[in-house]
Amino acid sequence: MTVPEKRLHEDGDGDGDGSGANDTTALEEKRQNTQPYIKGIAGIKPEFLAPISSLSSTYTEYNDDEAEGGDRDKNGSQNGNGDKRRKKERGQNQKRDLKQKRDTVRLCVSLIDPEDESTPCVAGDEEKCKYSHNLEEYLASKPKDIDGMCPVFEALGYCPTGMKCRWLHSHFNKETKKLIKDLGKLETEKDKSFEVNLIDRESKIALQRKKYKYEISEQVIKYLDSKVQRNDSHQENRKENEATYVEQPFKIAEKKKIDLRGAKIVSPLTTVGNLPFRRLMKTLGADVTYSEMALSVPLIQGHQPEWALPKAHISEHPGFGVQIASSKHWAAAKAAEVIYRTTQHVSELNLNCGCPIDLLYKSGQGSALLDQTPRLLRIVKAMNGSSGDIPVTIKIRTGVKENKNTAAHLVDRVLNETQVAAITLHGRSRQQRYTKEADWDYIEEVGKVVKNWNEKREEDKEGRDTNPTWFVGNGDVYTYEDWYNGVAREGVDSVMVARGALIKPWLFEEVEAQQYLDKSSSERLSMLDKFAKFAIEHWGSDEYGVNSARRFMCEFLSFTHRYIPVGIMERLPPKLNERSPKFVGRNEMETLLSSSDYKDWIKITEMFLGKAGEDFQFVPKHKSNAYENTENR
């Protein structure tokens, strides 16, 4: 299906790299109605443009690497070419301290629910316990309760955070000094609002102590090691090993089938692609979601933060994929086996072969695999052999260097030398990051390679019994037109959405309606309200959980503020990489929702999460978002 053209003006490339002075001059001409179109700048109806006096801070610089790499890039470089001067001009806030402070008086877990005798004191003796057993003292030290109903109690009929809850007044009887429990609701709702893919304690401890028994992957690793091409000094050993394993000593399990034809897919996104965000996207029409990128080595070392990433809400399954990054086939094999054996709600394992972040690239992970085809193939084979019935998929870019596309050749080798259930291609190279527009002509070219391979498989009697390989395009999908134009390309089964879903979460609703939806500020606030409730259910309703929910909501708002309401635009379609001049919304809330000042983001979170405490910490990723606000919060 092809969407009819609705463009009123010829579109530019939208990379928005012009100088500030030229942009200002162009904007002044626009205000005088002497220039109907400015390359790289979104068209706003003149009556909504902000006063000329604000032009000194008209534009906010966007760097979207965090969508794929988050805070993992500890070396601080966000530029593919290592240009430190350019990085300084872009104004990255490096080494952000995002840890949230906990309670001043820390309550012993035995008193979180005073009636629950199944939770003993952590020390076994009140006198030896380092936590407080004085409930009155603890309650007096807590910040003032947040107004309204506790989101967790509202959802479940019981709040596990108990006395530590910031909405304690909504489920605490002051007269009896007991927590209120709606047992009827707890029974009916418990299966609708819980998280899955939590690793069991015994397996995690075994991983941490290096005592986990890898019953599947050890055979796979041993076999693949025998096939690795070694240097000349190891030729004899290699030949001996190959002689030992003439045939593969294990069978690849039959994989579960996935169907991505026409699926509405949310890309794996680091930091902002957290569980509450994905859960929100499921309510807004998403069919497939992915975990944040997890690193294979920390997974097999049993690191708790890494094992938090494969967690999913029950509503995400089926259709939930876990994405991992790895540079070694042995690490990928072990991670695949542990995920297969300890989780029950994973639809696919996705290998990240596209992340451009320097930290991963220099360690041979992510997009570094694009130039190391033999290693990539070994990793895929290792994952296939160790993942049981979970199918393996890959996500790649067009290549490493700009104007040097290698994906078609890579995909051809992957299809002919190993087995993948799906291939997703982001239409940019590593070097391009998010500059320039995604190359959908090349995406289609690679799609044809996959299509031809699938057709040959159907003609082959033995091949008919194997599952097809789906091909998914990715890049610059921000409107329903972009989505339908993408799936109309030859060989493209579906389209994956990344930044488009972060900036405009209701994108799949537009796809379903096949029209632009001019969401009001109240409708957008309703989505944020839902996100806040999901966040509290996920991170908890205590002080730490509220601060965590607030921090991730600010990260979410760092994308949503970029949305330009359809009703104030003078030309359609909007383009993802077009920058917006400052504008005044149709009401005060719409203006506030468009603010690039992180202090305004905190104000918005306060509508749902109560007043932010003085000790709350949030530093925006970009200095351009850190304007000093003259108003008091």
Side-chain angles (χ1 to χ4, degrees):
M1 176 178 181
T2 303
V3 176
E5 291 291 322
K6 296 182 179 180
R7 292 162 176 75
L8 302 180
H9 299 279
E10 186 67 22
D11 292 323
D13 64 6
D15 56 8
D17 287 330
S19 68
N22 289 337
D23 289 341
T24 299
T25 300
L27 188 57
E28 288 174 344
E29 292 177 356
K30 177 179 176 61
R31 291 172 191 271
Q32 298 168 11
N33 295 320
T34 58
Q35 185 174 336
Y37 175 77
I38 306 171
K39 181 179 179 181
I41 298 175
I44 305 294
K45 293 177 181 177
E47 61 266 32
F48 293 104
L49 289 170
I52 295 289
S53 59
S54 66
L55 284 178
S56 59
S57 57
T58 293
Y59 300 118
T60 300
E61 193 72 59
Y62 299 133
N63 185 320
D64 286 328
D65 286 336
E66 66 265 40
E68 286 196 58
D71 296 311
R72 290 193 182 277
D73 196 5
K74 301 302 182 184
N75 65 0
S77 177
Q78 295 286 344
N79 300 306
N81 57 9
D83 188 341
K84 294 182 179 180
R85 178 185 60 80
R86 185 180 177 189
K87 179 190 71 176
K88 185 176 180 180
E89 291 174 355
R90 291 290 175 96
Q92 296 291 305
N93 278 318
Q94 305 300 336
K95 299 181 180 179
R96 298 194 297 163
D97 182 8
L98 298 171
K99 294 181 180 178
Q100 306 303 334
K101 294 184 179 180
R102 296 181 182 270
D103 297 327
T104 304
V105 178
R106 301 183 69 180
L107 187 68
C108 179
V109 293
S110 64
L111 292 177
I112 288 177
D113 183 350
E115 289 187 289
D116 185 3
E117 297 179 357
S118 64
T119 306
C121 171
V122 290
D125 186 341
E126 182 177 333
E127 293 183 0
K128 295 180 181 179
C129 185
K130 64 179 180 179
Y131 299 105
S132 175
H133 281 254
N134 188 329
L135 190 56
E136 296 298 328
E137 178 190 30
Y138 172 76
L139 292 176
S141 72
K142 283 182 63 181
K144 180 182 177 182
D145 273 3
I146 300 171
D147 293 334
M149 178 65 70
C150 168
V152 181
F153 182 82
E154 187 177 25
L156 298 178
Y158 170 67
C159 178
T161 307
M163 306 302 291
K164 299 178 71 174
C165 180
R166 288 296 315 280
W167 288 268
L168 180 60
H169 66 91
S170 67
H171 53 79
F172 179 64
N173 189 319
K174 289 185 178 181
E175 294 181 2
T176 63
K177 296 190 181 301
K178 293 180 180 179
L179 294 172
I180 299 171
K181 302 173 186 177
D182 186 340
L183 298 180
K185 190 171 187 178
L186 181 60
E187 183 64 29
T188 59
E189 298 298 321
K190 64 180 182 180
D191 293 335
K192 301 178 184 178
S193 186
F194 69 97
E195 296 178 3
V196 295
N197 300 335
L198 283 70
I199 186 172
D200 61 278
R201 185 172 180 271
E202 292 75 16
S203 296
K204 186 170 66 174
I205 291 175
L207 289 170
Q208 293 170 345
R209 296 178 178 176
K210 298 183 179 180
K211 292 184 178 181
Y212 189 87
K213 294 182 180 180
Y214 295 99
E215 299 175 358
I216 306 173
S217 56
E218 284 188 352
Q219 291 186 67
V220 176
I221 295 167
K222 193 173 182 180
Y223 173 74
L224 291 174
D225 281 345
S226 73
K227 297 295 182 181
V228 174
Q229 295 296 321
R230 306 184 186 279
N231 57 37
D232 293 338
S233 63
H234 293 83
Q235 283 298 311
E236 287 189 18
N237 290 336
R238 180 180 64 80
K239 290 178 180 179
E240 290 176 5
N241 288 336
E242 287 184 342
T244 304
Y245 298 104
V246 176
E247 292 187 4
Q248 190 168 280
F250 57 89
K251 290 184 178 180
I252 295 178
E254 184 177 349
K255 304 296 183 181
K256 293 181 289 189
K257 291 185 178 181
I258 60 174
D259 188 351
L260 300 183
R261 186 187 291 108
K264 301 178 185 69
I265 308 171
V266 182
S267 175
L269 299 162
T270 300
T271 304
V272 280
N274 49 62
L275 186 149
F277 168 77
R278 301 194 309 266
R279 188 178 171 189
L280 174 66
M281 290 305 302
K282 288 292 291 187
T283 70
L284 295 172
D287 298 315
V288 178
T289 57
Y290 290 88
S291 74
E292 300 174 64
M293 177 182 64
L295 305 182
S296 58
V297 173
L299 282 175
I300 62 178
Q301 291 174 340
H303 287 192
Q304 180 59 37
E306 217 67 27
W307 274 102
L309 302 179
K311 287 182 183 179
H313 188 263
I314 188 63
S315 63
E316 294 184 78
H317 186 266
F320 176 69
V322 173
Q323 186 184 66
I324 68 170
S326 185
S327 63
K328 307 292 184 182
H329 65 275
W330 60 265
K334 290 182 176 181
E337 179 179 355
V338 179
I339 291 172
Y340 163 62
R341 292 175 59 188
T342 62
T343 65
Q344 292 77 43
H345 297 82
V346 176
S347 300
E348 63 175 274
L349 271 178
N350 181 265
L351 176 65
N352 185 316
C353 307
C355 182
I357 299 301
D358 292 344
L359 186 65
L360 261 70
Y361 183 79
K362 291 177 180 177
S363 65
Q365 303 178 82
S367 57
L369 294 174
L370 298 174
D371 276 349
Q372 302 180 51
T373 305
R375 174 175 291 189
L376 187 156
L377 292 170
R378 281 196 300 274
I379 292 174
V380 172
K381 290 175 182 177
M383 292 172 64
N384 261 322
S386 307
S387 63
D389 63 351
I390 303 176
V392 175
T393 62
I394 62 173
K395 186 171 188 288
I396 63 176
R397 282 184 175 238
T398 58
V400 172
K401 296 182 180 179
E402 189 173 1
N403 299 321
K404 191 175 181 181
N405 295 332
T406 59
H409 176 69
L410 173 65
V411 166
D412 183 65
R413 287 198 60 179
V414 167
L415 292 171
N416 287 288
E417 297 182 40
T418 186
Q419 174 185 336
V420 290
I423 298 171
T424 298
L425 175 60
H426 181 172
R428 295 184 180 87
S429 67
R430 174 188 183 261
Q431 191 176 34
Q432 285 178 304
R433 297 295 177 99
Y434 287 96
T435 61
K436 308 298 182 184
E437 291 188 331
D439 188 347
W440 275 89
D441 288 336
Y442 187 67
I443 290 175
E444 182 174 20
E445 181 181 328
V446 179
K448 292 177 182 178
V449 174
V450 179
K451 180 184 177 183
N452 292 337
W453 184 85
N454 279 324
E455 289 175 348
K456 289 180 181 178
R457 178 190 60 82
E458 284 292 328
E459 295 172 359
D460 182 26
K461 292 182 179 180
E462 295 182 2
R464 292 175 190 169
D465 297 329
T466 61
N467 298 331
T469 295
W470 304 105
F471 183 70
V472 179
N474 174 222
D476 294 344
V477 177
Y478 188 46
T479 70
Y480 77 96
E481 293 177 288
D482 296 332
W483 195 90
Y484 280 106
N485 288 334
V487 295
R489 297 272 185 167
E490 185 177 355
V492 177
D493 296 302
S494 189
V495 170
M496 179 180 284
V497 182
R499 290 176 296 161
L502 291 172
I503 298 170
K504 189 169 64 176
W506 60 91
L507 174 57
F508 293 133
E509 289 186 345
E510 290 192 350
V511 170
E512 193 67 27
Q514 298 187 34
Q515 64 180 14
Y516 292 104
L517 300 178
D518 188 7
K519 294 287 185 178
S520 66
S521 57
S522 59
E523 289 177 301
R524 293 165 65 190
L525 282 176
S526 178
M527 294 178 198
L528 292 174
D529 180 37
K530 190 174 291 187
F531 174 86
K533 289 178 178 178
F534 291 162
I536 291 298
E537 286 186 52
H538 177 59
W539 283 295
S541 60
D542 60 353
E543 182 69 6
Y544 180 79
V546 171
N547 282 342
S548 296
R550 195 186 307 278
R551 175 253 162 140
F552 284 100
M553 195 171 187
C554 285
E555 301 280 10
F556 187 21
L557 289 165
S558 74
F559 281 91
T560 62
H561 86 274
R562 292 160 57 173
Y563 171 70
I564 306 171
V566 173
I568 73 170
M569 297 193 71
E570 68 173 6
R571 67 170 182 272
L572 296 174
K575 301 197 63 152
L576 189 58
N577 285 350
E578 283 187 334
R579 294 179 296 163
S580 169
K582 277 195 172 182
F583 62 84
V584 177
R586 292 166 291 189
N587 53 51
E588 289 184 7
M589 185 53 63
E590 193 166 76
T591 303
L592 181 64
L593 288 170
S594 71
S595 173
S596 57
D597 185 343
Y598 82 97
K599 292 184 179 181
D600 285 332
W601 305 343
I602 296 176
K603 286 182 183 178
I604 294 170
T605 70
E606 291 177 334
M607 299 177 190
F608 314 103
L609 301 173
K611 186 75 174 176
E614 293 181 0
D615 58 353
F616 173 71
Q617 300 179 47
F618 180 76
V619 179
K621 211 162 232 308
H622 309 296
K623 292 177 182 177
S624 56
N625 298 127
Y627 303 131
E628 286 301 320
N629 198 339
T630 56
E631 300 178 7
N632 294 322
R633 277 205 293 115

